[in-house]
């Protein structure tokens, strides 16, 4: 947002003054972070209740005179933006400022914190306490408002529904034990292990957002249910199916408790060690074919975002060189690249009750950083980046590659060329011969990163030089038309005449490998037509059986 837009925004906020979704503070150099967290919770919850995009916390404006007075709060940019992490660590579920803006106002420095509205059905707490506003005052979130938020999606959230007749006896004891340990790890700064162990099962399940006032939900059975209690979720096939495709074929079905069986799925995957020998190094790097954190993050995302009402299962297909994970239900909020490139925070969830429970058990990231982490870890391992396939309606497929396309390319591209992630993503698709957007094509061409014609792009000399692909570059690079025309003229000067087949044989293997046979034939036809139009050659035969000769 530019300074003029920020000034207009500040004027509008001051003109309406403090309400339930805006708060002004003069704020000295050391304003209390806990107080900021409390206002974050209050403004986020109030914005949700008013169906607004978010709220604003403004520093540098007197809350008595409405005048801009300036603030010295965290003048160092690194410290100021470090507040995002502090807020993310203290909020439940983890969320933080959408943006932090600084305005150099004539009357002094102003900071505007943009706070996103709480997701539908999920109130935001600060260190375990929910906050709200009563006119200009900061207060605890009342039970009426708390229920209003939670009821927003309960009627439509399949995972939040109570399971008739289900009791604590339907939950797996080992899954409950692991769940407590995960909860302790997630909330180590709030609860001691002894305190959590001292809770009854009913208290723990309520605190972990798995039950509603002690009643068993579908989410609780999905994550912690005994295998023999899965019938209570009929007719929904709550299963993860692993299948092996290739020379060998096999399959296995895994049901609840998903907290445990997701790791069992990973154990079925053939995860051999691969040896990578980087250029100019004598010792090979050994890496697992698949990174466990990458696979489990992706699998847990499938569980969290599956549309269970569509009566489908999560499928993990293992092929010799890749894993394909698919879940039913379209990509729910935005597009995958929004989370990879733009730090998008999801505002809505298909299964908010299940998503919150999985967050409490440290199974998924609630901020949308999980996808970023998958890409980051694959990039650090020098493997091809993951691919999302959203071509089939109501299905999300994620491919995780288990082989290196080119070790030199993967390693040197990441470590030495210093390309932005957006360029790396696009070049990764070029390497895989996958389509890229027209905007990406224009950008990569401008930066001399690709050559060729749509759809046959290939990496350019500058990247090839950095990634030891010079040989491939020479094979795929197209010479200009003059080079090929002179080859045709030289052939006719040497032999006097040539059939179309002879011209094809002359040029076919010399044209860019980025062209297929049909495109090469069209290219040769265009070269002959160009020479004829220029008056340098003529056809002494017929159209069906041409005989090309020099005009001279």
């Amino acid at each position: 947002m530019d300074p003029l837009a920020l000034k207009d925004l500040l004027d509008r906020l001051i003109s309406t003054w403090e309400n339930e979704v805006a708060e002004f503070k003069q704020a000295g150099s050391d304003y209390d972070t806990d107080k900021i967290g409390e206002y974050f919770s209050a403004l986020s919850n109030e914005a949700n209740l008013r169906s607004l995009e978010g709220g604003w916390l403004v520093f540098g404006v007197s809350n008595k005179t409405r005048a801009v007075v300036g603030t010295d709060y965290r003048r160092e940019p690194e410290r100021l933006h470090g507040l995002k992490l502090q807020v993310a660590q203290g909020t439940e579920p983890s969320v933080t400022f959408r943006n932090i803006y600084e305005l150099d106002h004539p009357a002094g420095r102003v900071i505007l914190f943009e706070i996103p509205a709480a997701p539908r059905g999920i109130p935001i707490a600060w260190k375990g306490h929910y906050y709200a506003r009563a006119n200009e005052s900061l207060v605890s979130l009342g039970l009426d408002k708390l229920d209003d938020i939670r009821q927003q999606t309960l009627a439509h959230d399949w995972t939040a529904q109570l399971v008739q007749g289900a009791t604590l006896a339907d939950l797996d004891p080992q899954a409950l034990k692991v769940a407590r340990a995960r909860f302790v790890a997630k909330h180590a700064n709030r609860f001691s292990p002894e305190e959590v162990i001292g809770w009854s099962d009913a208290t723990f399940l309520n605190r972990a957002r798995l039950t509603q006032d002690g009643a068993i939900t579908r989410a609780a059975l999905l994550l912690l249910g005994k295998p023999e209690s899965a019938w209570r979720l009929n007719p929904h096939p709550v299963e993860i199916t692993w299948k092996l495709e290739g020379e060998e074929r096999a399959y296995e079905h895994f049901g609840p408790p998903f907290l445990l069986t997701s790791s069992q799925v990973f154990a079925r995957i053939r995860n051999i060690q691969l040896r990578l020998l980087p250029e100019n190094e004598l010792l090979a790097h050994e890496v697992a074919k698949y990174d466990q954190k990458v696979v489990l993050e992706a699998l847990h995302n499938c569980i969290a975002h599956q549309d269970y009402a569509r009566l489908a299962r999560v499928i993990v297909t293992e092929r010799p060189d890749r894993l394909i994970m698919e879940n039913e239900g379209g990509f729910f909020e935005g597009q995958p690249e929004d989370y990879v490139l733009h730090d998008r925070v999801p505002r809505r969830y298909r299964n908010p009750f299940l998503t919150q429970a999985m967050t409490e058990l440290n199974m998924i990231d609630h901020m949308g950083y999980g996808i970023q982490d998958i890409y980051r870890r694959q990039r650090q391992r020098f493997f091809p980046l993951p691919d999302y396939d959203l071509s089939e309606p109501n299905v999300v497929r994620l491919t995780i590659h288990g082989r290196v396309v080119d070790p030199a390319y993967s390693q040197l591209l990441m470590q030495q060329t210093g390309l932005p992630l957006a360029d790396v993503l696009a070049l990764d698709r070029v390497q895989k011969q996958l389509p890229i957007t027209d905007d990406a094509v224009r950008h990569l061409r401008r930066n001399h990163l690709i050559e060729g014609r749509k759809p046959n792009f290939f990496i350019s000399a500058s990247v090839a030089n950095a990634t030891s692909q010079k040989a491939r570059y020479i094979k795929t690079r197209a010479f200009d038309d003059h080079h090929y025309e002179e080859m045709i003229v030289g052939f006719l000067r040497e032999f006097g005449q040539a059939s179309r087949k002879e011209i094809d044989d002359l040029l076919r293997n010399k044209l860019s490998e980025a062209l297929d046979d049909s495109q090469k034939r069209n290219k040769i036809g265009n070269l002959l037509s160009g020479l004829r139009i220029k008056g340098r050659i003529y056809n002494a035969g017929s159209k069906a059986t041409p005989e090309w000769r020099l005009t001279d």
Side-chain angles (χ1 to χ4, degrees), residues 24-28 31 58-63 69-73:
F24 296 88
K25 294 293 178 186
Q26 181 168 338
Y31 195 79
V58 183
F59 283 3
V61 176
S62 170
N63 56 351
V69 293
T71 178
D72 289 324
Y73 180 77

Side-chain angles (χ1 to χ4, degrees), residues 455-502:
N456 301 300
F457 299 114
F458 52 90
I459 57 173
S460 70
S462 61
V463 179
N465 203 37
T467 60
S468 300
Q469 293 201 27
K470 299 175 185 177
R472 171 161 174 75
Y473 170 74
I474 293 299
K475 291 178 182 178
T476 54
R477 182 194 64 187
F479 291 99
D480 59 29
D481 288 353
H482 176 74
H483 174 80
Y484 298 118
E485 289 174 351
E486 290 306 310
M487 289 181 68
I488 294 172
V489 170
F491 185 93
L492 295 178
R493 186 175 291 122
E494 181 73 21
F495 299 104
Q497 61 187 46
S499 66
R500 174 58 194 264
K501 181 179 182 304
E502 289 172 323

